[in-house]
Amino acid sequence: MIHFLIVGLGNPGDKYKNTRHNIGFMVLDALAASFNVSFKDSKKYMETTYTWEGDKVHLLKPLEFMNLSGKSTQTLANLYKIPPSQILVIQDEVDLPFGKIKNKIGGGTAGHNGLKDIVAKLGSQEFHRLRFGVGKPEKGGMEVADFVLQNFNSEERNQLDTLIKESTAKVEDWIRTNRNLIRKENGT
């Protein structure tokens, strides 16, 4: 049986619920709904697991602030013996225009505090990322940190459901592709 860990980045609490920085939580909520599973709260994180064709997929929403996302990621990775290559982190990405969604393996953190903490706690950059473009503030406008903590604007909200569905499809493709690669490597 193969275990995968899907981590959605966000900040806890209603204040941040609909902000750009919480897109990881939003995508995980949609993924959990599509598999008809509910999150269990353990105070430090929310998690749920579902079985996909005999393999386990663990969904994780860290409940400490963004810059402490690595703690619960490390906890679940250790608990289920999941290597970084079988971890996908869903993150907001200011270096991509709003609505652009890209996969990436490893690499730097581009100043993203959630990713920095995950790299530090896992001791590796070689996990996968689903980068959800949220755009940047206009030049001379607000700071990036303030921008990502704002709610999506009305134009963005109109597109959000479609983009979240696109993101969940990319997560499912990632699981399917990696399952096949692992099974091929193991000769199963």
Side-chain angles (χ1 to χ4, degrees):
M1 177 183 320
I2 302 168
H3 288 261
F4 293 100
L5 177 58
I6 314 297
V7 181
L9 295 185
N11 282 313
D14 288 339
K15 176 180 177 183
Y16 301 104
K17 187 176 180 179
N18 297 309
T19 65
R20 293 175 178 95
H21 224 17
N22 274 36
I23 193 62
F25 282 10
M26 293 176 203
V27 172
L28 275 197
D29 287 340
L31 200 56
S34 73
F35 285 97
N36 200 27
V37 293
S38 300
F39 284 95
K40 295 174 224 88
D41 188 343
S42 76
K43 301 219 187 304
K44 299 279 185 189
Y45 56 85
M46 293 179 77
E47 110 174 88
T48 191
T49 301
Y50 62 92
T51 303
W52 185 354
E53 298 176 14
D55 295 318
K56 295 289 184 183
V57 179
H58 307 275
L59 304 181
L60 169 67
K61 295 194 305 188
L63 291 181
E64 296 182 276
F65 284 94
M66 182 71 73
N67 61 340
L68 299 174
S69 298
K71 206 188 261 186
S72 54
T73 302
Q74 179 187 37
T75 297
L76 262 65
N78 290 343
L79 178 66
Y80 299 116
K81 297 174 178 42
I82 302 172
S85 62
Q86 290 166 222
I87 297 173
L88 174 67
V89 176
I90 304 167
Q91 63 164 105
D92 58 302
E93 178 60 67
V94 296
D95 290 330
L96 292 175
F98 175 78
K100 185 84 169 163
I101 303 165
K102 293 180 93 172
N103 286 75
K104 178 182 178 182
I105 302 172
T109 62
H112 194 293
N113 290 329
L115 292 178
K116 283 182 191 177
D117 196 54
I118 292 171
V119 167
K121 296 296 188 295
L122 292 179
S124 174
Q125 297 178 336
E126 298 309 307
F127 54 89
H128 297 249
R129 299 111 192 255
L130 183 71
R131 301 164 62 216
F132 189 106
V134 296
K136 286 184 179 176
E138 295 193 22
K139 287 194 190 272
M142 69 179 70
E143 295 293 318
V144 170
D146 295 327
F147 177 76
V148 296
L149 292 176
Q150 286 197 331
N151 289 348
F152 288 99
N153 66 38
S154 60
E155 185 180 321
E156 292 166 338
R157 279 194 309 272
N158 289 337
Q159 300 173 53
L160 214 47
D161 284 345
T162 301
L163 293 169
I164 288 172
K165 283 179 187 160
E166 182 182 333
S167 298
T168 61
K170 284 184 178 284
V171 170
E172 291 174 14
D173 288 343
W174 177 83
I175 295 167
R176 191 174 299 109
T177 299
N178 283 285
R179 285 180 79 246
N180 293 339
L181 286 172
I182 293 166
R183 290 192 185 289
K184 193 174 187 177
E185 287 172 4
N186 295 338
T188 57

